Amino acid sequence: MSERRARPSSEDPRNTSGTDGSTEAKGSGGPKGARAARRSLWRRALTPPPAPAPRPSVPHGPSPAPGPPEVVSVVQSALYRDGVRVSAPASLAETFRELREQPDGMAWIGLARPTAAELHSLAAEFDLHPLAVEDAMEAHQRPKLERYGETLFVVLSAARYLDAAEEVDFGELHVFVGPDFVITVRHGAAPDLSAVRRRMEGSPELLRLGPEAVLYAILDSVVDGYVPVVSGVQNDIDEIETEVFRGDPAVSRRIYELSREMVEFQRATRPLVGMLHNLMAGFAKYRTDEELQRYLRDVADHVTHTSERVDGFRQALTDILTVNATLVTQQQNAEMRALAEAGFEQNEEIKKISSWAAILFAPTLVGTIYGMNFSHMPELHWAFGYPFAIVLMAVVCTSLYFVFKRKDWL
């Protein structure tokens, strides 16, 4: 626990003790009374109604086989005191009991896709707001930061780059931060909070600062997870640019899919900028450790840089899509022009062939008529019949040649 909460003062805006600084003013019965005083109507609102008792029935056969064991979604639960882990309870009930026995301790509970019953038990124990619990159960929330009394509710969108599929996988993380507890509810494979826990346990001086330090470490891990995603997307964009100018027909689909991922990435990073500025203002208001405020400002700088890169990626993909459409249009125009030129050349050849066919058809017609060998054909015994036929063929062919030549068919 941080010294700020271990030694509350009357100047701390979150201090609910008397002006003399005594913690007994929080409620009768010491720490147990203080924890009991936190529970309000929210607990009754979150507690589901009891199910009706089943009617007894007489079995008519062998008893059914026992079902599969209940899947527990608690990834890891641990209690810390003065920056050092003191226990690792195996269940939520043990965590609640040990935290009540150690008023100066801090519980860090990690859940992965928890059940409604587990979230309701956490809400009843730590007085979580029903709206925040509902968001954590339903998931599919946009990144946001909300305060409910002494509890902060943070929704984060983590991301990781899958090299094999060349796509971005997004996961959702909900964080409840209270005076003596941190609860993480993870929906998805990212981020790897076990690495965050190891990092914090390896830095007792940082973990000693309390739940705010854990929140900083989670934010820092999520933001650091964006770095390989940015590198992978940059590499994809470079490859897409090469494919665009190479004329790959499948590049349009890849541009569209990556553009959709950048829209999702933008939704994950853009709200974080405002969230971290609000969180820094809250850290200053509640006089959080100065060193922790510096760390948070560093995370805010990284988020701003990442958000600007993502905005640039989206604009670059839009420009690439426009260039690709222009290149495709130019390629189609070139192909149409080539087809038109080929058609024109083919028409010219057809004209020449048709012209020579017509020229050769004339003598063939004359020769065919005079070669029918009928007995009573006119001019059959005429002395000038043969020269006349030859002259007639020549005149007809010459006339057709000049006619086609004048029409540029030859």
Side-chain angles (χ1 to χ4, degrees), residues 3-205:
E3 297 180 359
R4 175 182 55 77
R5 293 189 297 106
R7 295 191 297 270
S9 65
S10 59
E11 295 179 356
D12 194 336
R14 291 188 297 177
N15 184 19
T16 56
S17 62
T19 57
D20 57 351
S22 63
T23 58
E24 295 179 358
K26 294 182 180 179
S28 60
K32 295 184 179 179
R35 185 173 297 280
R38 287 190 319 181
R39 301 177 183 176
S40 64
L41 294 176
W42 296 348
R43 178 173 182 176
R44 293 197 296 271
L46 287 167
T47 304
R55 296 182 180 180
S57 59
V58 179
H60 297 283
S63 58
E70 182 180 358
V71 179
V72 180
S73 58
V74 179
V75 177
Q76 194 171 13
S77 178
L79 260 68
Y80 300 89
R81 187 172 184 179
D82 198 24
V84 179
R85 179 191 287 203
V86 294
S87 65
S91 65
L92 291 178
E94 293 182 13
T95 303
F96 301 158
R97 178 180 56 80
E98 293 186 16
L99 185 59
R100 295 190 194 104
E101 294 173 354
Q102 299 185 26
D104 294 335
M106 180 191 71
W108 184 353
I109 303 172
L111 306 174
R113 297 184 179 90
T115 63
E118 290 171 338
L119 283 177
H120 281 128
S121 65
L122 288 168
E125 177 67 23
F126 296 112
D127 199 21
L128 305 180
H129 197 279
L131 295 178
V133 175
E134 181 181 358
D135 289 344
M137 284 191 293
E138 295 181 356
H140 302 293
Q141 303 293 321
R142 300 195 66 176
K144 62 180 179 179
L145 170 67
E146 295 183 358
R147 175 176 289 275
Y148 298 98
E150 293 186 340
T151 302
L152 276 177
F153 177 61
V154 182
V155 179
L156 301 172
S157 182
R160 60 173 183 164
Y161 185 78
L162 304 179
D163 291 326
E166 291 186 346
E167 61 182 19
V168 183
D169 179 43
F170 294 94
E172 193 167 327
L173 179 65
H174 302 252
V175 186
F176 296 89
V177 181
D180 56 355
F181 66 88
V182 176
I183 303 171
T184 58
V185 180
R186 183 161 50 88
H187 296 273
D192 183 13
L193 295 181
S194 60
V196 179
R197 192 183 291 268
R198 290 193 299 269
R199 171 194 172 189
M200 294 299 291
E201 290 178 354
S203 304
E205 67 282 355

Side-chain angles (χ1 to χ4, degrees), residues 220 223-224 226-227 297-307:
D220 188 49
V223 174
D224 286 346
Y226 294 153
V227 175
R297 284 193 292 269
D298 180 67
V299 176
D301 292 340
H302 291 171
V303 169
T304 302
H305 177 70
T306 302
S307 180

Side-chain angles (χ1 to χ4, degrees), residues 322-336:
T322 303
V323 171
N324 181 64
T326 303
L327 293 177
V328 170
T329 303
Q330 291 178 351
Q331 183 179 2
Q332 291 176 346
N333 292 339
E335 292 175 355
M336 293 296 295

Side-chain angles (χ1 to χ4, degrees), residues 311-351:
D311 292 343
F313 288 158
R314 189 174 179 185
Q315 182 62 42
L317 287 171
T318 302
D319 296 340
I320 291 173
L321 189 61
T322 303
V323 171
N324 181 64
T326 303
L327 293 177
V328 170
T329 303
Q330 291 178 351
Q331 183 179 2
Q332 291 176 346
N333 292 339
E335 292 175 355
M336 293 296 295
R337 188 182 303 108
L339 289 174
E341 292 176 355
F344 178 77
E345 293 177 358
Q346 185 176 7
N347 290 337
E348 293 298 320
E349 295 297 327
I350 291 175
K351 288 179 181 180

Side-chain angles (χ1 to χ4, degrees), residues 172-373:
E172 193 167 327
L173 179 65
H174 302 252
V175 186
F176 296 89
V177 181
D180 56 355
F181 66 88
V182 176
I183 303 171
T184 58
V185 180
R186 183 161 50 88
H187 296 273
D192 183 13
L193 295 181
S194 60
V196 179
R197 192 183 291 268
R198 290 193 299 269
R199 171 194 172 189
M200 294 299 291
E201 290 178 354
S203 304
E205 67 282 355
L206 183 60
L207 187 57
R208 191 179 295 115
L209 299 178
E212 293 88 352
V214 177
L215 176 60
Y216 150 73
I218 293 173
L219 288 168
D220 188 49
S221 175
V222 170
V223 174
D224 286 346
Y226 294 153
V227 175
V229 177
V230 170
S231 300
V233 172
Q234 180 65 65
N235 183 62
D236 287 347
I237 291 178
D238 294 340
E239 293 178 356
I240 286 174
E241 289 178 344
T242 303
E243 293 174 0
V244 165
F245 290 102
R246 194 171 55 196
D248 192 339
V251 70
S252 298
R253 181 181 182 87
R254 188 176 181 185
I255 295 173
Y256 175 72
E257 291 176 350
L258 190 58
S259 297
R260 291 185 59 185
E261 292 178 354
M262 288 304 96
V263 171
E264 191 70 21
F265 201 9
Q266 203 172 41
R267 291 175 180 172
T269 57
R270 181 173 290 179
L272 275 181
V273 178
M275 286 171 53
L276 286 170
H277 282 88
N278 293 336
L279 192 58
M280 287 188 295
F283 275 21
K285 175 181 178 182
Y286 295 112
R287 301 179 184 178
T288 307
D289 184 82
E290 182 64 28
E291 189 68 16
L292 192 56
Q293 294 186 43
R294 295 192 187 98
Y295 289 155
L296 195 62
R297 284 193 292 269
D298 180 67
V299 176
D301 292 340
H302 291 171
V303 169
T304 302
H305 177 70
T306 302
S307 180
E308 292 174 351
R309 291 289 302 275
V310 174
D311 292 343
F313 288 158
R314 189 174 179 185
Q315 182 62 42
L317 287 171
T318 302
D319 296 340
I320 291 173
L321 189 61
T322 303
V323 171
N324 181 64
T326 303
L327 293 177
V328 170
T329 303
Q330 291 178 351
Q331 183 179 2
Q332 291 176 346
N333 292 339
E335 292 175 355
M336 293 296 295
R337 188 182 303 108
L339 289 174
E341 292 176 355
F344 178 77
E345 293 177 358
Q346 185 176 7
N347 290 337
E348 293 298 320
E349 295 297 327
I350 291 175
K351 288 179 181 180
K352 293 179 181 180
I353 294 173
S354 301
S355 301
W356 286 113
I359 293 172
L360 294 176
F361 175 74
T364 303
L365 177 62
V366 175
T368 302
I369 293 175
Y370 280 95
M372 289 189 292
N373 299 324

